[in-house]
Amino acid sequence: MRWLVLPAAMLAGFLACSDSSDDPRAPDTPPAPDGSSPPPVNCVGTTPYDAWTSDPKLCVYVFGSGLGEPRQMAFAPNGDLFVSNGRITVLWDADGNGRSDADERATFATAPGLNHGLAFSPQHDYLYASSPEAVYRWRYASGSHTASGPPEVVIANIPGGGSHVSRTLVFDSQGRLYVNVGSFENLDTKPSVLETRSQIRRFVLPASIPTGGIDYANGEVVARGMRNEVGLFVDAKDRLWGVENGRENVSDSSGNNIQEDNPAEEINLVDGRGSRFYGYPYCFSEFRLPHGRPGTEWADPTVPDAKSDGWCQDPANVRPPVFAMQAHWAPLGIFQYTGRSLPFSGDFLIASHGSWNRETPTGKLIARARYRDDAIVAVEPLIGAKDPSGALAQGKDGAPRPVDIRQGPDGAIYYSDDDGGRIFKVGYRAPGRERDASTDGAAAGDDCAPGEDGLPSHLRCTGLYADFVRKTLAAGVRAYEPGLQLWSDGAEKQRYLYLPPGSRIDTSNLDEWQFPVGTRAWKEFRIGGARVETRIYAKRGPLEWAWATYRWTPDESDAVRLDEGATNVAGSYEIPNHASCNKCHGGRTDKLLGVEAIALALPAAKGITLADLANVMTSPPPKTAATLPEDPTGKAGAALGYLHMNCGTACHNRNARADAFLSGFYTRLPARDVLEGAAVGDLDAWKTGANAMPAAIAYKHLADRGYRRILPHDAQKSLVVHVMKTRGAGQMPPLLSHQVDATAVDLLTGWIDAL
């Protein structure tokens, strides 16, 4: 590989998008053609959000919360906001208080597998939505909050599965539909896969859609070699803009790891000019290399049929990006702001979902791409999370993870956050205008009044106890103990569950239970017999959970809500902050970890068992009692059970929202398989673990020394044992634990060495 040396001045525009906490100030709002200034989008709302902004006059509010995992959005002509969040939800703000309250939203429609894409036809007579394998549509009339009929399949047989399952939808002015399909995995090399994925297809929709939909194979490929172009936008010239998520674990031609700042995340333009091939998997775009130039295309020497640097840098072969952004930002949304109420008319705004495996986290922000003379000249953070000093904190744990970003009819900016279940609204404060104070909240002194999330400041008000002093449980609350335990640095735990009378648990997916609205679960932690904290998860709506932690006073006379967490409690014990809770619980479709089939089917389960719940399950399991799969060592069951509960239920599973989904190492035991007596060799934990190379770049140095996830006969070179024994960077569990679970280490070591 050869490096290009450029003067610093030539690099300045490119490097404007580097990791930085600089505070660039936006220009004044442009005047109207008549010389007047347009009115700013007022900072009106009852739920201000304390975000970092590059311009102090920008204000950020929570427009809607409790939305599950909101992804792509679309505005109706009357101002209603539609969002894809596992279904299609419509939100409005009838009382004008700046947010969509619980009574100002409705489920417009559902269809199998809806997970991302959403768009109105240019005439707004149809609403389109996508699953990984299909595009659906419903007729729409202005102001409708419920679809008038079932979904119609528009595009069928889209290749599904793999790591990238978002199918973004956009229309051009001619009514042609564009659909993106990302790569199957990090680096696709099979020709059969590249034929149908890592591309954008365009469909001309006939007046009448054929029964069963148009076959995906019949779409015109307008761009290929795009690894995962999730964010799409069609501008006023009918040009298609996209933002691309680059691959992981890239090395240069000498084998040096350059993953931290390469490849660049790209802004691409699809306008029918030049090559329709954008490089993947043969070429990657540089963001930061010694003596290099951002946006330069380099050959990947590791792929079959590898190309040369010269081939990749020939625009007749590869269309280079319009702009190269910081690696691992994970941009998922883009649009061009055309209003004049906010001070960046004509510029593009980009939603960065944030990194997942970069050593120094980055992203989780809204960025501004300055657009001048038909070119993007700089990209800079606009809105993000704050660090303790008030500066921009990229990649911060618990920060919102933006997905889609849109301009509302009111001129405000709206962006979705699929990690926090929220939609944010961005306005602009006119000179002299102060931020509007929240009008919500209970009267001072009412310590049982619910907070914004519906949970009170004191544990005694959560419904756990009928008599707090005597710790008598409230009616309907049941104590239980699952047959498998999560490691909590040796803390003793007691769990409680409340299910609303007459309700049922949706167990159509036995691995991902859906609990009824009104469900509450508590977990109490004790150190040396003394209560330290109690956590609660409460289901408030079909897609809405609230959670909180309450810290007990030393005399146990009270337990007070503690959202900021605490360290060194009763020794090294750590109480999680509010955001940390969802790092684990977010890896399940419906949050609860210990209330699951396998843990409740084992003989060690007490208080509530799978048999106890069978009569309130929509789909009863094939059996209600189970033992863990075993192998000839006689030690597999206990080891696999530990990995299931401590690693698989929350992170290492096939739920795309789980933190370790992209690792490809899945230790959750499939409930139906276990209940029906599956063999160890048929389990995900074995198939993705035994003799498997660690995928994360953080463990490359171990992989180079012969480590494998599970290396039969050699526990000391098994990554699962290594990370369990580690405390610090790379430890497992990754959060809250400061003590090694020595018993579990012995358990895993004994099994692996005996294989």
Side-chain angles (χ1 to χ4, degrees):
M1 182 178 288
R2 300 173 301 280
W3 308 121
L4 302 175
V5 181
L6 297 177
M10 293 182 66
L11 287 171
F14 290 99
L15 296 182
C17 59
S18 62
D19 291 42
S20 171
S21 59
D22 292 344
D23 194 16
R25 293 295 188 245
D28 293 336
T29 305
D34 62 4
S36 63
S37 293
V41 179
N42 290 335
C43 295
V44 175
T46 58
T47 50
Y49 187 78
D50 187 24
W52 175 89
T53 59
S54 65
D55 183 338
K57 294 188 287 294
L58 291 171
C59 50
V60 183
Y61 285 86
V62 178
F63 177 72
S65 60
L67 293 168
E69 297 176 4
R71 300 282 292 184
Q72 198 173 3
M73 304 179 293
F75 276 99
N78 70 337
D80 288 346
L81 177 58
F82 287 72
V83 60
S84 175
N85 59 340
R87 61 191 69 194
I88 300 175
T89 299
V90 55
L91 300 92
W92 61 92
D93 179 18
D95 57 12
N97 69 346
R99 73 177 184 187
S100 175
D101 297 301
D103 60 349
E104 296 172 313
R105 63 186 64 172
T107 296
F108 178 80
T110 61
L114 295 182
N115 71 331
H116 181 76
L118 194 70
F120 278 104
S121 61
Q123 295 78 27
H124 291 90
D125 53 349
Y126 283 98
L127 180 66
Y128 292 72
S130 69
S131 73
E133 294 87 17
V135 176
Y136 303 92
R137 74 177 183 181
W138 296 260
R139 280 203 170 273
Y140 173 76
S142 183
S144 298
H145 290 162
T146 305
S148 59
E152 178 183 14
V153 177
V154 179
I155 310 296
N157 302 319
I158 300 174
S163 299
H164 299 133
V165 295
S166 301
R167 309 292 180 246
T168 304
L169 309 177
V170 292
F171 282 92
D172 63 18
S173 65
Q174 300 177 54
R176 297 177 297 185
L177 174 64
Y178 296 79
V179 182
N180 82 296
V181 177
S183 65
F184 185 80
E185 53 189 347
N186 178 43
L187 186 63
D188 290 342
T189 57
K190 295 179 181 178
S192 60
V193 174
L194 295 172
E195 277 296 311
T196 59
R197 302 189 69 131
S198 307
Q199 58 188 235
I200 299 171
R201 295 201 177 198
R202 180 167 63 196
F203 297 85
V204 177
L205 304 183
S208 178
I209 303 295
T211 302
I214 301 167
D215 196 288
Y216 171 79
N218 294 328
E220 177 191 3
V221 179
V222 296
R224 58 191 181 89
M226 289 180 160
R227 178 176 175 272
N228 195 26
E229 205 86 2
V230 181
L232 298 176
F233 172 76
V234 176
D235 68 12
K237 299 178 182 179
D238 258 0
R239 299 179 300 179
L240 180 65
W241 295 80
V243 282
E244 181 167 350
N245 291 246
R247 57 166 289 201
E248 312 289 343
N249 306 328
V250 66
S251 300
D252 65 17
S253 57
S254 300
N256 299 309
N257 186 310
I258 56 173
Q259 126 102 8
E260 188 77 352
D261 285 319
N262 297 283
E265 311 285 48
E266 300 177 353
I267 302 177
N268 288 312
L269 179 59
V270 180
D271 57 4
R273 300 167 59 189
S275 175
R276 292 190 176 191
F277 180 64
Y278 287 74
Y280 175 86
Y282 305 106
C283 315
F284 68 88
S285 296
E286 170 189 341
F287 175 67
R288 184 182 289 126
L289 288 169
H291 314 300
R293 172 177 174 169
T296 301
E297 294 287 327
W298 298 103
D300 185 340
T302 67
V303 301
D305 192 26
K307 310 300 182 184
S308 67
D309 291 339
W311 188 92
C312 289
Q313 292 164 15
D314 184 347
N317 299 323
V318 177
R319 179 81 178 261
V322 171
F323 201 92
M325 300 184 292
Q326 169 64 50
H328 307 292
W329 260 12
L332 300 185
I334 182 173
F335 85 102
Q336 187 175 30
Y337 185 74
T338 57
R340 293 183 303 107
S341 296
L342 296 174
F344 23 79
S345 186
D347 289 343
F348 289 86
L349 298 180
I350 296 165
S352 157
H353 201 235
S355 61
W356 71 274
N357 73 337
R358 189 173 187 260
E359 185 173 341
T360 302
T362 190
K364 296 187 181 180
L365 50 79
I366 301 300
R368 175 187 184 183
R370 294 180 182 264
Y371 190 63
R372 303 289 183 271
D373 299 324
D374 208 27
I376 292 176
V377 298
V379 174
E380 58 206 24
L382 184 72
I383 299 167
K386 288 181 176 179
D387 70 11
S389 71
L392 172 64
Q394 293 204 39
K396 181 179 179 181
D397 272 356
R401 301 197 72 181
V403 178
D404 195 20
I405 184 164
R406 287 284 181 265
Q407 176 179 326
D410 56 357
I413 296 167
Y414 295 76
Y415 62 94
S416 56
D417 161 29
D418 68 348
D419 198 43
R422 296 167 291 196
I423 293 175
F424 293 95
K425 176 180 179 179
V426 182
Y428 198 67
R429 189 176 300 106
R433 178 184 293 273
E434 299 299 324
R435 186 185 297 270
D436 296 336
S438 171
T439 58
D440 281 357
D446 182 2
D447 60 8
C448 269
E452 179 189 328
D453 60 2
L455 296 178
S457 298
H458 293 264
L459 178 65
R460 65 175 180 272
C461 311
T462 63
L464 174 58
Y465 298 111
D467 186 328
F468 183 79
V469 174
R470 295 180 175 83
K471 307 300 184 288
T472 305
L473 295 181
V477 176
R478 299 175 65 183
Y480 74 100
E481 182 178 319
L484 295 169
Q485 301 285 329
L486 284 162
W487 172 245
S488 301
D489 280 10
E492 309 125 46
K493 288 169 283 190
Q494 179 61 65
R495 300 164 180 81
Y496 308 96
L497 179 68
Y498 172 81
L499 296 172
S503 64
R504 296 174 69 79
I505 303 171
D506 181 352
T507 52
S508 52
N509 181 343
L510 202 53
D511 292 314
E512 296 280 2
W513 295 6
Q514 300 275 332
F515 296 91
V517 174
T519 296
R520 293 195 172 204
W522 298 261
K523 184 156 63 171
E524 175 187 284
F525 296 78
R526 300 188 187 206
I527 302 291
R531 292 181 175 92
V532 175
E533 61 159 321
T534 297
R535 305 173 192 172
I536 181 176
Y537 263 79
K539 190 165 187 179
R540 301 182 62 197
L543 298 171
E544 180 179 5
W545 285 85
W547 61 91
T549 294
Y550 297 85
R551 182 174 182 175
W552 288 87
T553 57
D555 62 0
E556 299 187 11
S557 63
D558 200 2
V560 182
R561 183 165 175 169
L562 182 70
D563 285 347
E564 64 271 23
T567 57
N568 300 319
V569 178
S572 63
Y573 185 81
E574 181 177 352
I575 297 175
N577 61 39
H578 187 265
S580 294
C581 294
N582 210 41
K583 292 286 284 184
C584 291
H585 288 269
R588 293 189 74 82
T589 299
D590 222 20
K591 303 296 185 185
L592 301 187
L593 299 178
V595 190
E596 58 102 36
I598 293 176
L600 298 182
L602 296 176
K606 300 175 183 177
I608 299 176
T609 67
L610 191 60
D612 294 331
L613 295 179
N615 64 332
V616 297
M617 300 168 77
T618 58
S619 302
K623 296 180 181 178
T624 58
T627 56
L628 292 167
E630 197 49 86
D631 66 8
T633 69
K635 300 178 179 182
L640 291 170
Y642 181 90
L643 292 175
H644 167 76
M645 181 54 68
N646 284 270
C647 309
T649 55
C651 294
H652 284 272
N653 63 60
R654 293 185 180 274
N655 187 324
R657 295 299 304 144
D659 260 18
F661 167 71
L662 291 177
S663 73
F665 183 29
Y666 306 123
T667 63
R668 183 168 73 183
L669 300 177
R672 189 170 298 278
D673 291 352
V674 171
L675 291 169
E676 293 179 344
V680 170
D682 294 330
L683 301 174
D684 265 352
W686 181 261
K687 291 190 290 186
T688 65
N691 294 303
M693 184 87 73
I697 193 66
Y699 301 125
K700 185 178 184 299
H701 65 292
L702 296 175
D704 291 344
R705 290 161 47 194
Y707 279 70
R708 297 297 180 262
R709 289 168 176 162
I710 297 172
L711 184 59
H713 312 301
D714 194 347
Q716 296 311 306
K717 284 199 172 181
S718 293
L719 187 65
V720 291
V721 174
H722 174 82
V723 297
M724 287 170 61
K725 293 164 62 177
T726 298
R727 283 301 174 269
Q731 74 171 51
M732 290 293 164
L735 297 174
L736 304 175
S737 180
H738 304 279
Q739 299 178 27
V740 172
D741 186 350
T743 301
V745 170
D746 290 344
L747 192 75
L748 269 293
T749 299
W751 173 52
I752 294 171
D753 281 343
L755 288 169

